[in-house]
């Protein structure tokens, strides 16, 4: 908590590089700062400001927040990819019911489908055009965002080829199932906005508590930074806070 505040303060007071660029030759005005320098600066500032306990606490919170942000981006990409594949399957179904060959239907729908869902339809189209095993092609296709949906699509293609069921019907059933899963994920994500906001407020309360303690003269920062017990409490508090943030993320997110 404290380390993040110190890092934010350091970034705010960091000297501006614009005047330095103006004094350099025209072709060398860009000052490239190595990416590894920022973590090193953050570690050094945190260590000298809050000690080893603050460094451990900052590392724990930074790792958890990074994982939460990364997982959130992955879930959004997963929902977008599932919706794109569902839309593409709708195009395939329409083409099939109009009398098109499965290869032509999948290839035509892939042109209007955003990635990575278009790669799935293109692979199916290429295999169907050559008379190959579309089910095996789909199962061998490595698409991390669409593993479950592609496996479901492969089973649908297998049912059509093995039992003579109309391909348009089984693909339409698969599309409806993907739509329902994506709609459920969107609904849960929207309804969990309130709990996520409440969790964010609760996570910020320890920071406000420290500020109020400083204003009242209790000097909690001195205790946390300068005493062994304070360092242990700082690490323990960061662990509890990180666990709460991660658990809140797990129970308020759903994958399509």
């Amino acid at each position: 908590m404290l380390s993040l505040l110190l890092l934010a303060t350091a970034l705010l007071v960091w000297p501006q590089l614009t005047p330095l660029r103006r004094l350099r030759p025209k072709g060398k005005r860009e000052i490239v700062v190595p990416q590894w320098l920022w973590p090193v600066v953050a570690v050094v500032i945190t260590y000298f400001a809050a000690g080893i306990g603050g460094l451990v606490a900052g590392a724990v919170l930074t790792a958890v927040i990074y994982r939460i942000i990364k997982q959130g981006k992955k879930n959004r990409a997963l929902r977008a990819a599932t919706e794109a594949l569902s839309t593409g399957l709708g195009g395939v179904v329409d083409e099939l019911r109009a009398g098109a060959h499965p290869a032509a239907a999948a290839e035509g729908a892939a042109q209007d489908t955003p990635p990575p869902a278009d790669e799935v339809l293109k692979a199916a189209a290429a295999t169907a055009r050559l008379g190959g095993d579309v089910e095996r092609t789909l199962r061998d296709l490595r698409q991390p965002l669409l593993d479950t949906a592609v496996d479901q699509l492969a089973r649908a293609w297998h049912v059509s080829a093995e039992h003579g069921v109309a391909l348009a019907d089984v693909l339409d059933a698969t599309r409806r199932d993907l739509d329902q899963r994506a709609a459920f994920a969107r609904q849960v994500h929207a309804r969990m906005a309130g709990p996520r906001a409440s969790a964010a407020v609760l996570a910020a309360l320890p920071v406000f508590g420290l500020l109020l303690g400083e204003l009242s003269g209790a000097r909690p920062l001195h205790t946390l930074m300068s005493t062994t017990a304070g360092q242990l409490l700082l690490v323990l508090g960061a662990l509890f806070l990180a666990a709460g943030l991660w658990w809140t993320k797990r129970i308020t997110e759903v994958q399509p």
Side-chain angles (χ1 to χ4, degrees):
M1 298 175 293
L2 181 60
S3 60
L4 295 178
L5 291 175
L6 292 173
L7 177 59
T9 303
L11 293 177
L12 288 175
V13 301
W14 194 266
Q16 297 293 324
L17 300 178
T18 303
L20 296 177
R21 294 193 186 101
R22 293 174 180 171
L23 297 177
R24 294 170 65 89
K26 185 175 181 180
K28 300 181 180 181
R29 289 184 180 179
E30 290 297 329
I31 300 178
V32 180
V33 179
Q35 294 296 326
W36 56 264
L37 182 61
W38 302 110
V40 172
V41 171
V43 168
V44 172
I45 293 176
T46 302
Y47 176 75
F48 284 104
I52 189 66
L55 185 61
V56 174
V60 169
L61 290 176
T62 301
V64 170
I65 292 174
Y66 173 77
R67 287 295 302 274
I68 289 175
I69 294 175
K70 185 177 180 180
Q71 186 65 36
K73 291 181 178 179
K74 181 180 178 181
N75 289 340
R76 289 192 294 271
L78 179 60
R79 288 194 292 269
T82 302
E83 292 173 1
L85 182 59
S86 175
T87 303
L89 287 179
V92 175
V93 171
D94 292 339
E95 292 287 340
L96 288 174
R97 288 178 174 168
H101 187 273
E107 187 175 8
Q111 296 177 359
D112 299 324
T113 303
D118 61 335
E119 298 178 5
V120 177
L121 298 180
K122 289 177 180 178
T127 306
R129 175 167 283 106
L130 297 175
D133 189 350
V134 178
E135 178 194 0
R136 182 175 180 179
T137 299
L138 293 176
R139 293 190 184 278
D140 293 341
L141 188 64
R142 293 293 177 263
Q143 198 58 255
L145 292 177
L146 292 170
D147 277 342
T148 303
V150 171
D151 184 66
Q152 188 175 356
L153 180 59
R155 291 198 303 268
W157 216 289
H158 171 76
V159 169
S160 176
E162 191 72 16
H163 302 286
V165 182
L167 183 59
D169 293 339
V170 292
L171 292 185
D172 192 37
T174 303
R175 179 192 61 80
R176 289 196 304 268
D177 184 69
L178 293 178
D179 281 342
Q180 291 175 359
R181 287 165 49 192
F184 177 75
R186 289 195 304 270
Q187 185 179 21
V188 172
H189 182 76
R191 291 186 176 183
M192 290 294 105
R196 285 196 301 271
S198 299
V201 173
L202 291 175
L205 285 181
V207 178
F208 290 107
L210 290 175
L211 294 178
L212 290 176
E214 287 294 322
L215 293 176
S216 63
R219 302 182 66 191
L221 294 180
H222 173 76
T223 302
L224 292 175
M225 297 179 186
S226 305
T227 64
T228 303
Q231 293 279 284
L232 293 176
L233 289 175
L234 186 60
V235 174
L236 186 62
L239 290 175
F240 280 128
L241 182 57
L245 289 173
W246 182 251
W247 181 247
T248 301
K249 177 67 176 177
R250 291 294 301 271
I251 65 178
T252 57
E253 283 288 339
V254 61
Q255 295 183 357

